[in-house]
């Protein structure tokens, strides 16, 4: 429908001149007269919504090719009255109107009005029905601005239905509305035919605006508050030099074209930054001693602060840290990165400015974190205090960007909630895009194994998954196109897990990535820096967030460290992390009980089954050659261990148990598959033990052959939340020995589909001897184990797992 009625052309580059045979106007434009504080961010410190002087907006609109100019300030004509003497200017306003039945606030653009009409409109704006009646009676051209967004967040399906009945003209392109909403609005309107709209009018007892009311007329406006993006979006009709009446009549007749695009996140960031900078700069001019970190950030990025003088106070120290951050991030500074500049606008310039600001900010955060950890390590209190100062400053400097993310998040969340319940016409189809954050992408462990399995199954099922990472592309990446690099502010390793490196991603960069990738759901695989930053970014963008409980971190730290403070801190972090997300996936009842002990509400926990593909892991992969290549003699029973070589996996207990069986008639060989921080220590301890063989990390066909060729699989971890390797062995037709009481023991029937042993060297040795001495029973148990994994696979199809993780609506606060 709309493709025939309304074209949508142009780009965000606002410096172009329109063709002379057209009449153009930015129909949604603000000046400094818009002093309302509708947003928490501006209300918080009394900042007006706009610092664009009316005459500056007028001059810029004309310079950028607008034939006609108007201002639509919030509920005031004060700005427009300064320009009323200009023949190509007309008075307009943006009216804050209310649906009295539910309190939903909407914005109504009223064009070419008189001061007397303004007074009458303001007198009835508390009732949008009375307002629309007045607009119609007085033949005032009007439109509903950004119809999928209500400033107070009370838009509902019923309210949207009323808007579509009451307003024949809608703002289809708004320069400060999240660009993700525009195609959804157009899709909704394309499916809204005359019978459907008539039914809505009947349902709500409203009068339609004409016989063709379903053919909505769409207009465009920049909604600019900060001068820089004036005329980036505008409305255009055929005919040169049309006066205001003729232009608006063409708009009402459906002869308008929308030019420009809805907002990129960089546009929203820059708008918030420009308004904030202007407000703080005005304070600085009033009080020469006034200081603010955000002012310093913008001035540093723009090259106005060199920090050449010796630091004389906290403000100078922060400037020095910002400059050091720019050096750390290798960011050139200067006018081309100045957010206060107006004449260099457009998508490329906006992206360049915001990228520069993010890099300097990230450099400062990374430097502060380095100072914090080094200061704590050296017990240097001054370095710790300096880092806390810089981290506090980084929060202050990030506020405009966090507001922009929050604003877009609220817009998108509100629209998605309303459209999800829409029934009056075909519902716009939105694709699900899942992002998974993990701190262990570069490790070989259960988390990575389950992640690799999930990504492979999602891709085969046609679902979109994206995995952000910092540093190098993970070596174990099974689908490189799934992985996306994130900017990092710092990287650290810990003495407790020396081989594992933790990356701290940029919060601002993560927000930007999530938005640009149009991620709809976020899954957190780990509660480390990647998971924490992913959680914060998702919450700001109002995305549903789930988490999977893969590792009992407090218990792991108890085994790795004797520090009670570390253990207590881990418990607190884990409790907060899993209480904060919308849903937590657990793989066993033991894990479920553990999280309830940590204070996670039981109704937020969901037990899911991670099945093993019985065609991928199968007895058919048995191959004697794979054992000969490792030096295993023919006929020797093979005890297999697969997992991370780390302390909590209890490899020494397995080695001791196999040692004790070397005097039996058929002494077993222990084949250890994996990599990890204990590798060197374990190999050294087994230097004189030819019956212990380290095969290193294995995957793909080699790993499948090793599983299927073993006589028995031993698992000795007690804190794993599942035990994926044991399940792979079961699917491969190999009997497994697991500790009684471990999470994996829930999936084993002792003596039927596997074996449970008392957790000790004696317990493992005794049960292992029993299993190796009973080949017939071992074969029966192995067959039952495989059958159990086949049943699990058929009873837990991937579609159910995907629906649990990304198919359901799971919104947070």
């Amino acid at each position: 429908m709309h493709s025939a009625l309304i074209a949508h052309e142009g780009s965000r580059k606002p410096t172009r001149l329109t063709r002379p045979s057209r009449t153009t106007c930015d129909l949604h434009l603000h000046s400094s007269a818009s002093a309302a504080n509708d947003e928490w961010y501006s209300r918080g410190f009394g900042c007006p919504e706009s610092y664009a002087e009316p005459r500056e907006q007028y001059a810029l609109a004309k310079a950028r090719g607008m034939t006609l100019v108007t201002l639509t300030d919030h509920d005031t004509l004060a700005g427009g009255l300064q320009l009323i003497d200009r023949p190509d200017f007309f008075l307009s306003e943006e009216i804050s109107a209310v649906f009295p039945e539910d309190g939903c606030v909407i914005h109504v653009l009223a064009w070419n009005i008189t001061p007397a009409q303004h007074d009458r409109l303001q007198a009835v704006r508390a009732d949008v029905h009375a307002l629309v009646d007045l607009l119609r009676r007085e033949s005032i051209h009007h439109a509903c601005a950004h119809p999928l967004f209500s400033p107070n967040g009370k838009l509902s399906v019923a309210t949207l239905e009323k808007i579509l009945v009451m307003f024949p003209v809608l703002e289809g392109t708004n320069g400060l509305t999240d660009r993700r909403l525009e195609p959804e609005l157009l899709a909704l309107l394309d499916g809204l035919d005359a019978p459907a709209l008539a039914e809505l009018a009947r349902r709500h007892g409203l009068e339609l605006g004409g016989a063709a009311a379903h053919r909505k007329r769409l207009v465009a406006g920049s909604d600019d508050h900060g001068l820089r993006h004036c005329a980036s979006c505008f409305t255009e009709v055929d005919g040169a030099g049309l006066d205001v009446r003729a232009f608006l009549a063409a708009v009402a007749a459906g002869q308008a074209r929308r030019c420009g695009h809805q907002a990129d996140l960089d546009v929203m960031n820059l708008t918030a930054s420009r308004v904030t900078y202007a407000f703080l700069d005005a304070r600085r001019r009033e009080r020469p001693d006034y200081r603010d970190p955000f002012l310093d950030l913008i001035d540093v990025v723009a090259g106005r602060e060199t920090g050449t003088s010796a630091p004389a106070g906290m403000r100078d120290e922060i400037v020095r840290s910002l400059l050091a951050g720019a050096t750390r991030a290798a960011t050139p500074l200067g006018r081309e990165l100045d957010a206060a500049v107006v004449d260099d606008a457009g998508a490329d310039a906006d992206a360049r400015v915001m990228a520069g600001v993010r890099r300097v900010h990230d450099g400062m955060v990374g430097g502060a974190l380095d100072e914090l950890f080094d200061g704590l390590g050296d017990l240097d209190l001054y370095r710790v205090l300096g880092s806390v100062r810089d981290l506090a400053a980084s929060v202050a400097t990030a506020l405009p960007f966090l507001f922009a993310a929050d604003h877009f998040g609220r817009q998108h969340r509100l629209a998605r909630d309303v459209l999800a319940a829409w029934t009056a016409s075909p519902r716009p189809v939105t694709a699900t895009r899942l992002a998974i954050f993990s701190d262990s992408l570069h490790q070989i462990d259960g988390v990575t194994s389950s992640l690799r399995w999930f990504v492979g199954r999602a891709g085969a099922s046609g679902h979109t998954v994206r995995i952000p990472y910092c540093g190098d592309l993970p070596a174990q990446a099974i689908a490189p196109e799934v992985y996306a690099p994130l900017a990092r502010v710092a990287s650290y390793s810990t003495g407790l897990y020396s081989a594992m490196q933790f990356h701290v991603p940029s919060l601002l960069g993560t927000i930007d990535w999530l938005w640009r990738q149009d991620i709809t759901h976020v899954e957190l695989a780990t509660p480390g820096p990647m998971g924490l930053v992913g959680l914060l970014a998702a919450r700001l963008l109002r995305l549903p967030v789930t988490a999977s409980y893969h590792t009992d971190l407090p218990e792991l730290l108890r085994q790795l460290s004797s520090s009670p403070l570390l253990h207590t801190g881990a418990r607190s972090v884990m409790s907060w992390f899993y209480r904060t997300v919308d849903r937590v996936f657990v793989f066993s009842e033991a894990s479920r009980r553990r999280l309830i002990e940590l204070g996670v509400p039981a109704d937020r926990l969901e037990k899911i089954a991670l099945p093993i593909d019985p065609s991928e892991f199968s007895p058919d992969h048995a191959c004697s050659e794979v054992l000969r290549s490792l030096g295993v003699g023919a006929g020797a029973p093979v005890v297999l261990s697969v997992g991370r070589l780390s302390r909590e996996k209890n490899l020494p207990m397995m080695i001791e148990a196999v040692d004790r069986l070397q005097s039996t008639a058929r002494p077993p060989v222990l084949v250890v598959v994996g990599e990890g921080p204990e590798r060197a220590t374990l190999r050294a301890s087994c230097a004189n033990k030819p019956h212990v063989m380290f095969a290193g990390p294995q995957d793909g066909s080699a790993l499948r052959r090793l599983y299927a060729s073993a006589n028995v699989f031993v698992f000795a971890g007690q804190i794993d939340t599942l035990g994926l390797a044991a399940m792979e062995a079961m699917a491969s037709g190999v009997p497994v020995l697991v500790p009684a009481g471990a999470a994996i023991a829930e999936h084993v029937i002792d003596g039927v589909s596997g074996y449970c042993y008392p957790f000790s060297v004696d317990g493992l040795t005794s049960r292992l001897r029993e299993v190796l001495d009973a080949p017939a029973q071992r074969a029966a148990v192995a067959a039952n184990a495989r059958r159990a994994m086949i049943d699990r696979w058929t009873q837990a199809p991937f579609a159910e797992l995907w629906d649990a993780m990304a198919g359901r609506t799971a919104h947070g606060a």
Side-chain angles (χ1 to χ4, degrees), residues 256-279:
R257 288 178 293 273
R258 295 168 295 122
C259 299
H261 298 284
Q262 294 206 160
D264 184 280
L265 184 57
D266 286 336
V267 171
M268 191 68 233
N269 279 329
L270 266 176
T271 298
S273 297
R274 283 182 55 79
V275 171
T276 302
Y277 184 86
F279 173 73

PDB file of all heavy atoms in Angstrom, residues 256-279:
ATOM      1  N   ALA A 256       2.875  13.341  -0.076  1.00  0.00           N
ATOM      2  CA  ALA A 256       4.183  13.642   0.510  1.00  0.00           C
ATOM      3  C   ALA A 256       5.119  12.451   0.394  1.00  0.00           C
ATOM      4  O   ALA A 256       4.699  11.301   0.291  1.00  0.00           O
ATOM      5  CB  ALA A 256       4.017  14.032   1.976  1.00  0.00           C
ATOM      6  N   ARG A 257       6.399  12.770   0.411  1.00  0.00           N
ATOM      7  CA  ARG A 257       7.442  11.754   0.485  1.00  0.00           C
ATOM      8  C   ARG A 257       8.281  12.007   1.729  1.00  0.00           C
ATOM      9  O   ARG A 257       8.575  13.165   2.059  1.00  0.00           O
ATOM     10  CB  ARG A 257       8.341  11.804  -0.758  1.00  0.00           C
ATOM     11  CG  ARG A 257       7.697  11.306  -2.024  1.00  0.00           C
ATOM     12  CD  ARG A 257       8.643  11.441  -3.193  1.00  0.00           C
ATOM     13  NE  ARG A 257       8.895  12.841  -3.518  1.00  0.00           N
ATOM     14  CZ  ARG A 257       8.126  13.550  -4.343  1.00  0.00           C
ATOM     15  NH1 ARG A 257       7.069  12.995  -4.914  1.00  0.00           N
ATOM     16  NH2 ARG A 257       8.410  14.807  -4.586  1.00  0.00           N
ATOM     17  N   ARG A 258       8.665  10.916   2.372  1.00  0.00           N
ATOM     18  CA  ARG A 258       9.544  11.023   3.536  1.00  0.00           C
ATOM     19  C   ARG A 258      10.991  10.916   3.085  1.00  0.00           C
ATOM     20  O   ARG A 258      11.343  10.012   2.317  1.00  0.00           O
ATOM     21  CB  ARG A 258       9.244   9.911   4.544  1.00  0.00           C
ATOM     22  CG  ARG A 258       7.866   9.989   5.162  1.00  0.00           C
ATOM     23  CD  ARG A 258       7.506   8.728   5.926  1.00  0.00           C
ATOM     24  NE  ARG A 258       7.400   7.588   5.032  1.00  0.00           N
ATOM     25  CZ  ARG A 258       8.115   6.495   5.153  1.00  0.00           C
ATOM     26  NH1 ARG A 258       9.015   6.384   6.134  1.00  0.00           N
ATOM     27  NH2 ARG A 258       7.973   5.490   4.311  1.00  0.00           N
ATOM     28  N   CYS A 259      11.818  11.807   3.552  1.00  0.00           N
ATOM     29  CA  CYS A 259      13.241  11.800   3.200  1.00  0.00           C
ATOM     30  C   CYS A 259      14.063  11.667   4.485  1.00  0.00           C
ATOM     31  O   CYS A 259      13.788  12.335   5.485  1.00  0.00           O
ATOM     32  CB  CYS A 259      13.635  13.078   2.464  1.00  0.00           C
ATOM     33  SG  CYS A 259      12.739  13.309   0.913  1.00  0.00           S
ATOM     34  N   GLY A 260      15.078  10.834   4.434  1.00  0.00           N
ATOM     35  CA  GLY A 260      15.907  10.596   5.616  1.00  0.00           C
ATOM     36  C   GLY A 260      15.553   9.277   6.266  1.00  0.00           C
ATOM     37  O   GLY A 260      14.735   8.507   5.769  1.00  0.00           O
ATOM     38  N   HIS A 261      16.182   9.017   7.399  1.00  0.00           N
ATOM     39  CA  HIS A 261      16.009   7.745   8.088  1.00  0.00           C
ATOM     40  C   HIS A 261      15.821   7.971   9.574  1.00  0.00           C
ATOM     41  O   HIS A 261      16.271   8.973  10.137  1.00  0.00           O
ATOM     42  CB  HIS A 261      17.228   6.840   7.870  1.00  0.00           C
ATOM     43  CG  HIS A 261      17.460   6.474   6.442  1.00  0.00           C
ATOM     44  ND1 HIS A 261      16.700   5.539   5.791  1.00  0.00           N
ATOM     45  CD2 HIS A 261      18.354   6.939   5.538  1.00  0.00           C
ATOM     46  CE1 HIS A 261      17.118   5.424   4.544  1.00  0.00           C
ATOM     47  NE2 HIS A 261      18.121   6.260   4.359  1.00  0.00           N
ATOM     48  N   GLN A 262      15.162   7.001  10.208  1.00  0.00           N
ATOM     49  CA  GLN A 262      15.050   7.064  11.659  1.00  0.00           C
ATOM     50  C   GLN A 262      16.431   6.881  12.284  1.00  0.00           C
ATOM     51  O   GLN A 262      17.407   6.572  11.609  1.00  0.00           O
ATOM     52  CB  GLN A 262      14.053   6.034  12.153  1.00  0.00           C
ATOM     53  CG  GLN A 262      12.643   6.345  11.698  1.00  0.00           C
ATOM     54  CD  GLN A 262      11.559   5.784  12.582  1.00  0.00           C
ATOM     55  OE1 GLN A 262      10.446   6.253  12.526  1.00  0.00           O
ATOM     56  NE2 GLN A 262      11.835   4.799  13.399  1.00  0.00           N
ATOM     57  N   ALA A 263      16.489   7.048  13.584  1.00  0.00           N
ATOM     58  CA  ALA A 263      17.768   7.292  14.248  1.00  0.00           C
ATOM     59  C   ALA A 263      18.642   6.061  14.349  1.00  0.00           C
ATOM     60  O   ALA A 263      18.203   4.968  14.701  1.00  0.00           O
ATOM     61  CB  ALA A 263      17.528   7.869  15.636  1.00  0.00           C
ATOM     62  N   ASP A 264      19.900   6.284  14.074  1.00  0.00           N
ATOM     63  CA  ASP A 264      20.981   5.387  14.436  1.00  0.00           C
ATOM     64  C   ASP A 264      21.306   5.657  15.905  1.00  0.00           C
ATOM     65  O   ASP A 264      21.074   6.755  16.418  1.00  0.00           O
ATOM     66  CB  ASP A 264      22.185   5.695  13.539  1.00  0.00           C
ATOM     67  CG  ASP A 264      23.337   4.759  13.755  1.00  0.00           C
ATOM     68  OD1 ASP A 264      24.066   4.969  14.738  1.00  0.00           O
ATOM     69  OD2 ASP A 264      23.533   3.850  12.946  1.00  0.00           O
ATOM     70  N   LEU A 265      21.849   4.652  16.601  1.00  0.00           N
ATOM     71  CA  LEU A 265      22.202   4.863  18.003  1.00  0.00           C
ATOM     72  C   LEU A 265      23.219   5.983  18.161  1.00  0.00           C
ATOM     73  O   LEU A 265      23.203   6.719  19.155  1.00  0.00           O
ATOM     74  CB  LEU A 265      22.740   3.568  18.612  1.00  0.00           C
ATOM     75  CG  LEU A 265      23.071   3.591  20.106  1.00  0.00           C
ATOM     76  CD1 LEU A 265      21.868   4.002  20.939  1.00  0.00           C
ATOM     77  CD2 LEU A 265      23.584   2.233  20.568  1.00  0.00           C
ATOM     78  N   ASP A 266      24.113   6.153  17.185  1.00  0.00           N
ATOM     79  CA  ASP A 266      25.071   7.249  17.252  1.00  0.00           C
ATOM     80  C   ASP A 266      24.369   8.599  17.263  1.00  0.00           C
ATOM     81  O   ASP A 266      24.818   9.547  17.923  1.00  0.00           O
ATOM     82  CB  ASP A 266      26.036   7.198  16.060  1.00  0.00           C
ATOM     83  CG  ASP A 266      27.060   6.085  16.195  1.00  0.00           C
ATOM     84  OD1 ASP A 266      27.320   5.664  17.332  1.00  0.00           O
ATOM     85  OD2 ASP A 266      27.597   5.644  15.165  1.00  0.00           O
ATOM     86  N   VAL A 267      23.262   8.715  16.524  1.00  0.00           N
ATOM     87  CA  VAL A 267      22.513   9.982  16.497  1.00  0.00           C
ATOM     88  C   VAL A 267      21.944  10.281  17.884  1.00  0.00           C
ATOM     89  O   VAL A 267      22.036  11.412  18.385  1.00  0.00           O
ATOM     90  CB  VAL A 267      21.390   9.909  15.449  1.00  0.00           C
ATOM     91  CG1 VAL A 267      20.472  11.127  15.553  1.00  0.00           C
ATOM     92  CG2 VAL A 267      21.982   9.815  14.054  1.00  0.00           C
ATOM     93  N   MET A 268      21.360   9.251  18.507  1.00  0.00           N
ATOM     94  CA  MET A 268      20.808   9.459  19.845  1.00  0.00           C
ATOM     95  C   MET A 268      21.909   9.785  20.841  1.00  0.00           C
ATOM     96  O   MET A 268      21.753  10.659  21.700  1.00  0.00           O
ATOM     97  CB  MET A 268      20.070   8.184  20.283  1.00  0.00           C
ATOM     98  CG  MET A 268      19.225   8.360  21.545  1.00  0.00           C
ATOM     99  SD  MET A 268      17.808   9.425  21.301  1.00  0.00           S
ATOM    100  CE  MET A 268      18.037  10.591  22.642  1.00  0.00           C
ATOM    101  N   ASN A 269      23.040   9.100  20.725  1.00  0.00           N
ATOM    102  CA  ASN A 269      24.180   9.389  21.594  1.00  0.00           C
ATOM    103  C   ASN A 269      24.651  10.823  21.432  1.00  0.00           C
ATOM    104  O   ASN A 269      24.903  11.533  22.418  1.00  0.00           O
ATOM    105  CB  ASN A 269      25.334   8.441  21.263  1.00  0.00           C
ATOM    106  CG  ASN A 269      25.183   7.078  21.907  1.00  0.00           C
ATOM    107  OD1 ASN A 269      24.611   6.951  22.974  1.00  0.00           O
ATOM    108  ND2 ASN A 269      25.686   6.051  21.247  1.00  0.00           N
ATOM    109  N   LEU A 270      24.798  11.250  20.186  1.00  0.00           N
ATOM    110  CA  LEU A 270      25.295  12.606  19.940  1.00  0.00           C
ATOM    111  C   LEU A 270      24.298  13.666  20.394  1.00  0.00           C
ATOM    112  O   LEU A 270      24.693  14.718  20.906  1.00  0.00           O
ATOM    113  CB  LEU A 270      25.606  12.783  18.454  1.00  0.00           C
ATOM    114  CG  LEU A 270      27.053  12.517  18.055  1.00  0.00           C
ATOM    115  CD1 LEU A 270      27.234  12.623  16.561  1.00  0.00           C
ATOM    116  CD2 LEU A 270      27.989  13.513  18.746  1.00  0.00           C
ATOM    117  N   THR A 271      23.020  13.407  20.197  1.00  0.00           N
ATOM    118  CA  THR A 271      22.008  14.369  20.647  1.00  0.00           C
ATOM    119  C   THR A 271      22.070  14.542  22.157  1.00  0.00           C
ATOM    120  O   THR A 271      22.085  15.669  22.677  1.00  0.00           O
ATOM    121  CB  THR A 271      20.615  13.912  20.218  1.00  0.00           C
ATOM    122  OG1 THR A 271      20.557  13.853  18.789  1.00  0.00           O
ATOM    123  CG2 THR A 271      19.546  14.858  20.722  1.00  0.00           C
ATOM    124  N   ALA A 272      22.109  13.410  22.885  1.00  0.00           N
ATOM    125  CA  ALA A 272      22.204  13.495  24.346  1.00  0.00           C
ATOM    126  C   ALA A 272      23.509  14.164  24.760  1.00  0.00           C
ATOM    127  O   ALA A 272      23.540  14.967  25.713  1.00  0.00           O
ATOM    128  CB  ALA A 272      22.107  12.097  24.948  1.00  0.00           C
ATOM    129  N   SER A 273      24.577  13.862  24.048  1.00  0.00           N
ATOM    130  CA  SER A 273      25.881  14.446  24.393  1.00  0.00           C
ATOM    131  C   SER A 273      25.900  15.949  24.148  1.00  0.00           C
ATOM    132  O   SER A 273      26.428  16.718  24.964  1.00  0.00           O
ATOM    133  CB  SER A 273      26.983  13.776  23.568  1.00  0.00           C
ATOM    134  OG  SER A 273      27.076  12.407  23.870  1.00  0.00           O
ATOM    135  N   ARG A 274      25.337  16.382  23.020  1.00  0.00           N
ATOM    136  CA  ARG A 274      25.340  17.813  22.698  1.00  0.00           C
ATOM    137  C   ARG A 274      24.516  18.602  23.702  1.00  0.00           C
ATOM    138  O   ARG A 274      24.922  19.676  24.150  1.00  0.00           O
ATOM    139  CB  ARG A 274      24.811  18.025  21.280  1.00  0.00           C
ATOM    140  CG  ARG A 274      25.814  17.680  20.182  1.00  0.00           C
ATOM    141  CD  ARG A 274      25.229  17.967  18.817  1.00  0.00           C
ATOM    142  NE  ARG A 274      24.758  19.338  18.706  1.00  0.00           N
ATOM    143  CZ  ARG A 274      25.540  20.393  18.499  1.00  0.00           C
ATOM    144  NH1 ARG A 274      26.841  20.225  18.390  1.00  0.00           N
ATOM    145  NH2 ARG A 274      25.032  21.601  18.414  1.00  0.00           N
ATOM    146  N   VAL A 275      23.338  18.097  24.050  1.00  0.00           N
ATOM    147  CA  VAL A 275      22.491  18.800  25.014  1.00  0.00           C
ATOM    148  C   VAL A 275      23.177  18.841  26.370  1.00  0.00           C
ATOM    149  O   VAL A 275      23.198  19.877  27.051  1.00  0.00           O
ATOM    150  CB  VAL A 275      21.104  18.127  25.103  1.00  0.00           C
ATOM    151  CG1 VAL A 275      20.294  18.718  26.251  1.00  0.00           C
ATOM    152  CG2 VAL A 275      20.355  18.292  23.786  1.00  0.00           C
ATOM    153  N   THR A 276      23.757  17.711  26.780  1.00  0.00           N
ATOM    154  CA  THR A 276      24.458  17.666  28.068  1.00  0.00           C
ATOM    155  C   THR A 276      25.648  18.616  28.068  1.00  0.00           C
ATOM    156  O   THR A 276      25.859  19.368  29.043  1.00  0.00           O
ATOM    157  CB  THR A 276      24.938  16.236  28.360  1.00  0.00           C
ATOM    158  OG1 THR A 276      23.819  15.359  28.372  1.00  0.00           O
ATOM    159  CG2 THR A 276      25.646  16.165  29.700  1.00  0.00           C
ATOM    160  N   TYR A 277      26.417  18.606  27.008  1.00  0.00           N
ATOM    161  CA  TYR A 277      27.589  19.470  26.931  1.00  0.00           C
ATOM    162  C   TYR A 277      27.177  20.944  26.982  1.00  0.00           C
ATOM    163  O   TYR A 277      27.797  21.743  27.697  1.00  0.00           O
ATOM    164  CB  TYR A 277      28.377  19.189  25.654  1.00  0.00           C
ATOM    165  CG  TYR A 277      29.665  19.982  25.553  1.00  0.00           C
ATOM    166  CD1 TYR A 277      30.835  19.513  26.141  1.00  0.00           C
ATOM    167  CD2 TYR A 277      29.702  21.205  24.886  1.00  0.00           C
ATOM    168  CE1 TYR A 277      32.010  20.233  26.065  1.00  0.00           C
ATOM    169  CE2 TYR A 277      30.878  21.940  24.801  1.00  0.00           C
ATOM    170  CZ  TYR A 277      32.023  21.454  25.393  1.00  0.00           C
ATOM    171  OH  TYR A 277      33.185  22.175  25.312  1.00  0.00           O
ATOM    172  N   ALA A 278      26.130  21.302  26.238  1.00  0.00           N
ATOM    173  CA  ALA A 278      25.678  22.702  26.235  1.00  0.00           C
ATOM    174  C   ALA A 278      25.219  23.123  27.625  1.00  0.00           C
ATOM    175  O   ALA A 278      25.517  24.238  28.086  1.00  0.00           O
ATOM    176  CB  ALA A 278      24.557  22.876  25.218  1.00  0.00           C
ATOM    177  N   PHE A 279      24.504  22.249  28.307  1.00  0.00           N
ATOM    178  CA  PHE A 279      24.021  22.568  29.650  1.00  0.00           C
ATOM    179  C   PHE A 279      25.183  22.758  30.620  1.00  0.00           C
ATOM    180  O   PHE A 279      25.235  23.744  31.381  1.00  0.00           O
ATOM    181  CB  PHE A 279      23.104  21.440  30.124  1.00  0.00           C
ATOM    182  CG  PHE A 279      22.657  21.561  31.553  1.00  0.00           C
ATOM    183  CD1 PHE A 279      21.721  22.505  31.927  1.00  0.00           C
ATOM    184  CD2 PHE A 279      23.160  20.706  32.529  1.00  0.00           C
ATOM    185  CE1 PHE A 279      21.307  22.617  33.246  1.00  0.00           C
ATOM    186  CE2 PHE A 279      22.749  20.802  33.847  1.00  0.00           C
ATOM    187  CZ  PHE A 279      21.816  21.760  34.202  1.00  0.00           C
TER     188      PHE A 279
END
